[in-house]
């Protein structure tokens, strides 16, 4: 073995050790909590889409809103003298603030909805504090989408989401302070939000990996756009109790068409959240009792 060969031998051994070291040292850290769908192989869906739309009803007599005692903060009382609870907002039998979303399902091509990648929207979602009240009361964001929290009041708030899967935080926002920008890194339906200054303030944020969600408005109506044709489990969630109340329905969405999915909450409906019902597209809503 001549001198040159020896040098090469030593060099190549050193290089192999280096390679081994970096492979074992992890540069390939994986987040074990992240769903498998985070794989870089996932591609966005491209193709025709349809919609899921419906109306959320409330059967029976809804609980009357309760007046909120705001004497703890005179600023709140001055701006919102008639502040009342908004956990059950019903108008003409229709329920607002219901979060409706695609939980799971299969696109016509046979791929699961979660196997597609859904780009993070560049638009932000706003949560305002106005009159010592969160607006909107229920909202949805995508994972990592910017949530912009504003304070329109002449008093201090302290925003405090209490997630189970995401990181908990709370932050004071003084009168006139700039917006607080946050994002949630994991899907979670839904995250309760409270204010450490004003115990009556409540909001709920649904965080999903995809944009296939909607919140019912004052007429009880909601619409989910951009849905790939397929068959899905659609969940309607409304607040109440420890973790809210859920209704589930199986919905088939045609390409370039509309599927209807009406849900009903309230005293007169069963609270059976697990029963699935086939819901052919473009037919009249099936009322569940
Ligand atoms: Cu507050």
């Amino acid at each position: 073995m001549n001198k040159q060969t020896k040098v090469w031998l030593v060099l190549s051994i050193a290089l192999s050790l280096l390679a081994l070291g970096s492979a074992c040292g992890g540069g390939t850290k994986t987040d074990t909590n992240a769903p498998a769908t985070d794989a870089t192989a996932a591609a966005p869906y491209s193709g025709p889409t349809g919609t899921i739309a419906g109306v959320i009803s409330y059967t029976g007599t809804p609980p009357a809103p309760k007046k909120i005692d705001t004497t703890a903060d005179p600023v709140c009382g001055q701006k919102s003298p008639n502040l009342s609870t908004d956990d059950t907002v019903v108008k003409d039998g229709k329920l607002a603030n219901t979060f409706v979303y695609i939980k799971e399902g299969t696109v016509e091509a046979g791929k699961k909805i979660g196997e597609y990648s859904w780009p993070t929207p560049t638009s932000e979602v706003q949560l305002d504090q106005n009159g010592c009240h969160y607006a909107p009361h229920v909202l949805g964001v995508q994972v990592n989408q910017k949530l912009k929290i504003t304070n329109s009041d002449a008093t201090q708030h302290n925003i405090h989401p209490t997630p189970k899967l995401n990181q908990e935080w709370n932050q004071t926002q003084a009168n006139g302070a700039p917006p607080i920008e946050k994002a949630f890194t994991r899907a979670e339906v839904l995250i309760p939000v409270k204010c450490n200054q004003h115990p009556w303030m409540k909001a709920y944020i649904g965080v999903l990996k995809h944009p296939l969600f909607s919140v019912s408005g004052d007429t009880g109506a909601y619409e989910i756009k951009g849905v790939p044709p397929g068959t899905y489990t659609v969940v309607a969630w409304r607040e109440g109790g420890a973790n809210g109340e859920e209704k589930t329905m199986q919905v088939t969405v045609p390409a370039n068409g509309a599927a209807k999915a009406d849900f009903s909450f309230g005293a007169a409906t069963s609270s059976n959240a697990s029963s699935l019902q086939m819901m052919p597209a473009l037919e009249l809503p099936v009322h569940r009792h």
Side-chain angles (χ1 to χ4, degrees):
M1 201 181 282
N2 63 30
K3 196 174 177 187
Q4 209 179 2
T5 317
K6 266 187 200 163
V7 169
W8 276 114
L9 198 66
V10 169
L11 254 176
S12 55
I13 288 170
L15 279 170
S16 339
L17 283 174
L18 262 173
L20 257 176
S22 65
C24 298
T28 51
K29 276 199 185 100
T30 45
D31 184 352
T32 48
N33 288 317
T37 48
D38 275 349
T40 46
Y45 173 82
S46 61
T49 59
T51 61
I52 300 173
V55 174
I56 314 296
S57 301
Y58 190 94
T59 315
T61 309
K66 293 186 201 77
K67 193 178 185 327
I68 291 168
D69 177 8
T70 57
T71 48
D73 188 337
V75 174
C76 299
Q78 280 155 24
K79 196 167 177 181
S80 302
N82 297 310
L83 206 57
S84 58
T85 54
D86 55 357
D87 47 305
T88 307
V89 177
V90 176
K91 194 181 163 193
D92 301 329
K94 304 293 185 279
L95 180 67
N97 292 330
T98 305
F99 188 76
V100 189
Y101 68 103
I102 289 183
K103 188 171 188 179
E104 58 200 5
T106 307
V107 180
E108 263 178 2
K111 230 169 153 182
K112 298 278 179 203
I113 192 79
E115 287 170 348
Y116 292 95
S117 75
W118 300 92
T120 306
T122 50
S123 60
E124 62 206 9
V125 174
Q126 195 176 351
L127 176 61
D128 189 31
Q129 299 154 112
N130 196 341
C132 301
H133 175 261
Y134 283 118
H137 183 60
V138 175
L139 62 156
V141 291
Q142 258 181 261
V143 166
N144 294 326
Q145 185 176 12
K146 199 183 283 175
L147 175 69
K148 185 180 170 186
I149 302 156
T150 51
N151 182 0
S152 301
D153 289 331
T155 190
Q156 176 174 291
H157 293 290
N158 185 295
I159 308 95
H160 186 180
T162 55
K164 290 191 172 98
L165 305 174
N166 284 277
Q167 200 183 334
E168 186 171 341
W169 53 268
N170 76 81
Q171 195 167 324
T172 295
Q173 192 172 33
N175 170 24
I180 294 172
E181 289 181 346
K182 293 281 182 181
F184 297 98
T185 58
R186 282 154 204 262
E188 184 169 357
V189 179
L190 284 86
I191 301 174
V193 181
K194 60 182 179 178
C195 172
N196 289 358
Q197 304 283 128
H198 309 108
W200 62 84
M201 288 178 70
K202 272 183 193 167
Y204 296 88
I205 303 174
V207 186
L208 289 171
K209 295 184 73 169
H210 57 65
L212 308 172
F213 57 82
S214 177
V215 179
S216 68
D218 287 340
T219 62
Y222 76 90
E223 185 180 34
I224 302 172
K225 290 178 184 166
V227 184
T231 298
Y232 304 104
T233 302
V234 176
V235 174
W237 179 99
R238 78 170 227 92
E239 69 187 286
N243 297 304
E245 191 183 349
E246 272 187 11
K247 303 280 177 179
T248 303
M249 200 185 287
Q250 194 93 336
V251 178
T252 296
V253 180
N256 301 310
K260 208 163 189 186
D262 292 343
F263 293 88
S264 189
F265 289 91
T269 62
S270 85
S271 59
N272 183 359
S274 61
S275 78
L276 294 180
Q277 207 164 7
M278 281 308 294
M279 179 85 193
L282 301 171
E283 281 196 9
L284 287 171
V286 178
H287 290 285
R288 300 169 67 243
H289 296 280

